[in-house]
Amino acid sequence: MRQDPGLEQAFRKVRLMLEGDERTPGLTRQDLERMVGYPERGQGPLSYTLPPQEGFEGVRAVRFFYYPKDPEVTLIIEIEDNQGRRHLRHLKWNGLAWISPPSGLKSELVPTREVLPEGYVEIGGDYFVGFSSEEAHELAERIYLGEAGGQKYLLCPQDSTRIFYGPSVAPAGLICPICGNTSLLFKAIPIEASRRAQDEFQTAEVKIEAKLEELVEQNRELSERLSELINLLKRSLG
């Protein structure tokens, strides 16, 4: 089948934006943070829809999703073609350039055809089946925050795609929405992952408490020194 020329042009434009050329430097992580408004708009993930411009005439939208806290994926690029299909690419910033994430997620900035099967919802590179849109977004948020320990999902061994399924769904009948693989692995998010956010919060509380104790001690020492200085001045004036 002939490739969509508008989609090809949009991918070339995005690749040029990220890699740059002899006239224009490529997009850095700092540039991306300014683009999405990090950290002013929050701690992420944050999204930004690129404005219409030359190179994007043949697609509906081009969006950047920034994940400042994710250790593997820094940027997800979403290009929505004129048929409403979303083409996702995952990239990691290594301090100098955009590279493929270690998880093996799709990162090549060339177009491929990605048509989601009926009932699948994609959020941040994961897929959800048997959830309403609201439920899927709530679960995706808990997964991102590390609060979904024990949550079951299917993993595609070919492209590392994760498919989270609801209680009304028979997981044996699901396929990978990216490659169509039917031999999926049953997995669950480790319980330890659900404790991560709580551990981080407790660690922050301990640090704050230690800092307050340090400030109290410094204030006590300062008060004692001021008292000594006042007594010394009184004796000198007397």
Side-chain angles (χ1 to χ4, degrees):
M1 297 180 66
R2 192 172 74 89
Q3 189 59 272
D4 183 343
L7 191 60
E8 291 182 333
Q9 185 181 37
F11 268 103
R12 285 197 299 268
K13 174 71 173 182
V14 170
R15 186 166 61 251
L16 176 63
M17 291 178 64
L18 296 184
E19 298 176 356
D21 56 20
E22 63 278 2
R23 295 176 299 174
T24 307
L27 188 77
T28 67
R29 181 170 187 158
Q30 291 71 29
D31 295 331
L32 178 62
E33 289 178 346
R34 287 192 292 270
M35 180 183 292
V36 301
Y38 175 82
E40 292 82 5
R41 288 179 54 207
Q43 295 300 306
L46 299 170
S47 65
Y48 177 78
T49 300
L50 277 69
Q53 55 190 279
E54 183 180 358
F56 293 159
E57 300 92 344
V59 296
R60 289 186 183 178
V62 178
R63 304 178 182 94
F64 285 175
F65 296 86
Y66 179 46
Y67 290 77
K69 305 299 182 182
D70 194 306
E72 292 190 352
V73 176
T74 310
L75 169 64
I76 294 180
I77 298 168
E78 176 187 285
I79 300 180
E80 184 178 352
D81 64 26
N82 282 328
Q83 286 70 47
R85 296 174 297 201
R86 294 180 298 172
H87 304 258
L88 302 175
R89 297 297 181 268
H90 303 72
L91 296 167
K92 175 181 175 63
W93 178 253
N94 69 354
L96 296 174
W98 299 99
I99 62 173
S100 301
S103 56
L105 293 168
K106 189 172 295 184
S107 60
E108 299 83 358
L109 294 175
V110 293
T112 56
R113 298 189 181 276
E114 299 176 10
V115 181
L116 286 182
E118 183 70 24
Y120 284 68
V121 176
E122 189 280 327
I123 303 174
D126 289 325
Y127 294 82
F128 300 80
V129 184
F131 299 97
S132 67
S133 178
E134 182 179 353
E135 290 172 338
H137 279 86
E138 288 178 354
L139 177 55
E141 180 69 12
R142 289 195 292 112
I143 293 169
Y144 174 76
L145 294 174
E147 299 173 350
Q151 179 68 45
K152 296 180 180 180
Y153 65 95
L154 297 174
L155 177 69
C156 177
Q158 296 185 11
D159 52 29
S160 300
T161 299
R162 298 193 300 181
I163 304 103
F164 293 89
Y165 54 91
S168 63
V169 174
L174 297 178
I175 65 171
C176 175
I178 299 300
C179 67
N181 179 27
T182 58
S183 300
L184 306 177
L185 306 176
F186 285 85
K187 296 284 186 177
I189 295 178
I191 297 297
E192 289 75 13
S194 66
R195 300 185 184 130
R196 187 181 308 153
Q198 181 179 357
D199 291 344
E200 291 178 353
F201 179 75
Q202 290 176 346
T203 299
E205 279 190 325
V206 170
K207 290 181 179 179
I208 292 173
E209 185 176 348
K211 187 64 176 178
L212 288 174
E213 290 178 355
E214 181 183 349
L215 291 173
V216 169
E217 180 63 22
Q218 291 176 354
N219 186 63
R220 185 187 62 78
E221 293 178 357
L222 180 60
S223 297
E224 290 179 354
R225 292 178 183 177
L226 287 174
S227 179
E228 292 174 358
L229 179 59
I230 291 173
N231 290 335
L232 178 60
L233 289 173
K234 287 181 179 180
R235 288 195 298 269
S236 298
L237 295 175

